[in-house]
Amino acid sequence: TIELENIKKIYPMGTSGVTALAGIDLTVETGEMVAIMGSSGSGKSTLLNLLGCLDRPTTGNYRLTGENVSAMTKTQLAAIRNREIGFVFQGFNLLGKMTALHNVELPLIYTGAGKSEMARRAAEALGWVGLTRFSHHLPNQLSGGQQQRVAIARALVNNPTLILADEPTGALDSRTSLEIMAVIQRLHRERGITIVIVTHEPEIAGYCQRLIRLKDGCIISDQPVNRP
Amino acid sequence: TIELENIKKIYPMGTSGVTALAGIDLTVETGEMVAIMGSSGSGKSTLLNLLGCLDRPTTGNYRLTGENVSAMTKTQLAAIRNREIGFVFQGFNLLGKMTALHNVELPLIYTGAGKSEMARRAAEALGWVGLTRFSHHLPNQLSGGQQQRVAIARALVNNPTLILADEPTGALDSRTSLEIMAVIQRLHRERGITIVIVTHEPEIAGYCQRLIRLKDGCIISDQPVNRP
Ligand SMILES: Nc1ncnc2c1ncn2[C@@H]1O[C@H](COP(=O)(O)OP(=O)(O)OP(=O)(O)O)[C@@H](O)[C@H]1O
Ligand SMILES: Nc1ncnc2c1ncn2[C@@H]1O[C@H](COP(=O)(O)OP(=O)(O)OP(=O)(O)O)[C@@H](O)[C@H]1O
Ligand SMILES: [Mg+2]
Ligand SMILES: [Mg+2]
């Protein structure tokens, strides 16, 4: 379970800083699939980075499965990130000198899996996103949408309990987007993973059970998604 | 006018290479506004990079305003790119150590404009994309959609005769997308700029007069866009 209590994030800049989150209260239960929407600059990525323990709030409390994240050491945070969380970055964040396969293998290094098992599981994840033929391409030998799909495979490969995806279909055409959402939906149903997806596409929000809207760093609505 | 004749692009890789464009014939008249759609990996960015003289075809001819681009020197190509073409990259490609304002000023360096005129015109372009308040942010102090809008302002600032935009609204929510398309449409009507937009959003293609669809590096359709 995720519990955020009066979370504020003020980036230091100039005299008064930039308030990206202005006081967020949010609870997400284990196994929920939630969409976050809001206009450009409304604080979606900032919120996702905090949920993923990649950044700390300026004030406020964040409890993840009952433990207060703000009280954790950097080592504990890194351990949670590596073992429990799959993160899809808005900018993909692939390592430029490693092939698609090696990029997807990276999270498995923390699990102590052997070389051949790492390669097998990474190849399986690349298969889920339709990129088996591109396993040995470097990121700059891949199209934008192909890089995004490698980033998605990397987030899924480690069997995370929590997936945080920042605009995961932003660079994809609609048919490829549907294929990716079918993979995420299947993992959600089979494994009960908690999923938070930032998106600006209403069709993607339609895959979730709940839609949270952000505006100027505040939650302005939090409603169930009505299934057609 | 843009004239492509049997353009092929084969990226060197492995034994047989990767064929990104398999023989493209295309004419775009001055002042046309064209959309290019196609699934992830179909060759859209490759085609746009060739049109923008950022890369050379493996075989085939490209004539820009009657001159054969393949016969030009690197210096001539750079001169055309800097003076005539505004390019919006799929990955934004902002310089990380420069503010939003300085990134937008960059193309003006080639025009011999003075410092204060550069700053005035760059500030105007940032105003068009709604980012006046963020002029002094570095790229990593901007959200994804804000970075994309800085890249758009940079492509427009130099009064290009040709704008090539690769998924210019990919990171934007729908309202911000409409604001950006309104800017591009206004410049198209006021100045008769030739515009080629790669997109996977049908709403964006709806702003254009013509829609070209790519599949596996080939043009599979090229139709007027029917206005509702
Ligand atoms: N430098 C390269 N070396 C090898 N293959 C490449 C290289 N650049 C691109 N490719 C391949 O060429 C094909 C076309 O790539 P391109 O970037 O043009 O696609 P795209 O239509 O823009 O896709 P997207 O919508 O995902 O951005 C892809 O399959 C890609 O893997
Ligand atoms: N390091 C930083 N320093 C200063 N301001 C920042 C920093 N990072 C983000 N911001 C600002 O915080 C606000 C929220 O940014 P955030 O990236 O969370 O927005 P977003 O909702 O993800 O937007 P988008 O849809 O464009 O990706 C933006 O106005 C941005 O300019
Ligand atoms: Mg964002
Ligand atoms: Mg592309």
Side-chain angles (χ1 to χ4, degrees):
Chain A
T1 312
I2 287 172
E3 291 166 281
L4 297 183
E5 211 181 278
N6 198 19
I7 291 285
K8 290 183 183 165
K9 179 70 187 178
I10 300 164
Y11 290 110
M13 205 179 148
T15 44
S16 57
V18 175
T19 299
L21 297 177
I24 298 274
D25 292 299
L26 175 64
T27 299
V28 177
E29 302 292 343
T30 302
E32 270 198 275
M33 193 160 163
V34 181
I36 298 179
M37 295 184 79
S39 61
S40 175
S42 57
K44 305 180 296 295
S45 296
T46 300
L47 175 56
L48 218 66
N49 290 345
L50 288 181
L51 289 177
C53 302
L54 290 161
D55 193 6
R56 290 177 189 276
T58 308
T59 58
N61 276 319
Y62 172 20
R63 268 182 298 280
L64 184 57
T65 53
E67 283 191 73
N68 197 327
V69 165
S70 347
M72 289 182 190
T73 65
K74 282 204 168 166
T75 324
Q76 282 173 306
L77 280 180
I80 287 183
R81 277 199 314 262
N82 298 331
R83 276 201 306 256
E84 309 285 333
I85 302 176
F87 203 103
V88 185
F89 292 88
Q90 190 169 3
F92 317 155
N93 284 32
L94 300 178
L95 295 185
K97 294 197 174 110
M98 297 174 73
T99 63
L101 191 73
H102 290 319
N103 265 283
V104 176
E105 282 177 347
L106 272 180
L108 298 175
I109 291 176
Y110 303 102
T111 63
K115 260 201 168 13
S116 60
E117 192 198 339
M118 278 171 60
R120 185 187 61 71
R121 287 175 59 183
E124 183 188 26
L126 275 178
W128 292 340
V129 299
L131 290 180
T132 303
R133 271 192 317 132
F134 297 91
S135 300
H136 304 296
H137 283 233
L138 295 177
N140 68 356
Q141 295 175 322
L142 292 170
S143 76
Q146 290 169 342
Q147 292 176 47
Q148 186 165 43
R149 284 183 276 162
V150 172
I152 292 165
R154 180 186 59 190
L156 304 179
V157 76
N158 204 6
N159 283 339
T161 54
L162 171 63
I163 289 175
L164 303 172
D166 201 339
E167 312 268 8
T169 61
L172 301 177
D173 59 280
S174 34
R175 207 190 54 153
T176 311
S177 294
L178 294 188
E179 288 168 12
I180 291 300
M181 289 314 295
V183 174
I184 292 175
Q185 203 172 31
R186 179 171 62 74
L187 289 173
H188 177 241
R189 286 191 184 139
E190 283 175 5
R191 300 184 190 166
I193 301 173
T194 309
I195 301 179
V196 180
I197 299 181
V198 165
T199 183
H200 55 264
E201 299 170 52
E203 311 77 63
I204 304 304
Y207 281 85
C208 302
Q209 298 141 348
R210 182 179 165 194
L211 171 54
I212 294 169
R213 288 187 190 275
L214 282 190
K215 187 174 192 301
D216 299 332
C218 294
I219 291 179
I220 55 167
S221 80
D222 184 351
Q223 300 290 326
V225 171
N226 31 344
R227 299 252 165 229
Chain B
T1 310
I2 285 172
E3 291 166 282
L4 296 184
E5 210 181 280
N6 198 19
I7 291 285
K8 290 183 184 166
K9 179 68 185 178
I10 300 163
Y11 290 110
M13 204 179 150
T15 43
S16 58
V18 175
T19 299
L21 296 177
I24 298 274
D25 292 300
L26 175 64
T27 299
V28 178
E29 302 294 335
T30 303
E32 271 198 275
M33 193 161 162
V34 182
I36 298 179
M37 296 185 78
S39 62
S40 175
S42 57
K44 305 180 296 295
S45 296
T46 301
L47 176 56
L48 219 65
N49 290 346
L50 289 182
L51 289 177
C53 303
L54 290 161
D55 195 6
R56 290 177 188 276
T58 308
T59 59
N61 276 318
Y62 172 20
R63 269 182 298 280
L64 183 57
T65 53
E67 282 190 75
N68 197 327
V69 165
S70 348
M72 289 182 190
T73 64
K74 282 203 169 170
T75 325
Q76 283 173 305
L77 281 180
I80 287 183
R81 276 199 314 262
N82 297 331
R83 276 202 304 260
E84 309 285 332
I85 302 176
F87 203 104
V88 184
F89 292 88
Q90 191 169 5
F92 316 155
N93 284 32
L94 300 178
L95 295 186
K97 294 199 173 108
M98 297 173 74
T99 64
L101 191 73
H102 289 321
N103 265 284
V104 176
E105 282 177 348
L106 272 180
L108 298 176
I109 291 177
Y110 302 103
T111 63
K115 258 196 171 2
S116 60
E117 192 198 339
M118 279 171 61
R120 185 188 62 70
R121 286 175 61 183
E124 182 188 28
L126 275 178
W128 291 342
V129 299
L131 290 181
T132 304
R133 271 192 317 133
F134 297 91
S135 300
H136 304 295
H137 284 233
L138 295 177
N140 68 357
Q141 295 175 322
L142 292 170
S143 77
Q146 290 168 343
Q147 292 177 48
Q148 186 164 45
R149 284 183 277 163
V150 172
I152 291 165
R154 180 185 60 190
L156 303 179
V157 76
N158 205 4
N159 283 340
T161 54
L162 172 64
I163 289 176
L164 303 171
D166 201 339
E167 311 267 9
T169 60
L172 302 177
D173 59 280
S174 34
R175 207 191 53 158
T176 311
S177 292
L178 293 187
E179 289 167 11
I180 291 300
M181 289 314 294
V183 173
I184 292 175
Q185 202 172 32
R186 179 171 62 73
L187 289 173
H188 177 240
R189 285 189 186 142
E190 283 175 5
R191 300 185 190 165
I193 300 173
T194 308
I195 301 179
V196 180
I197 300 182
V198 165
T199 183
H200 54 263
E201 298 170 53
E203 311 77 61
I204 304 305
Y207 282 84
C208 302
Q209 298 140 348
R210 183 179 165 194
L211 170 55
I212 293 169
R213 287 186 190 277
L214 282 191
K215 186 177 193 305
D216 299 333
C218 294
I219 292 179
I220 55 167
S221 80
D222 184 351
Q223 299 289 327
V225 171
N226 35 345
R227 298 252 163 230

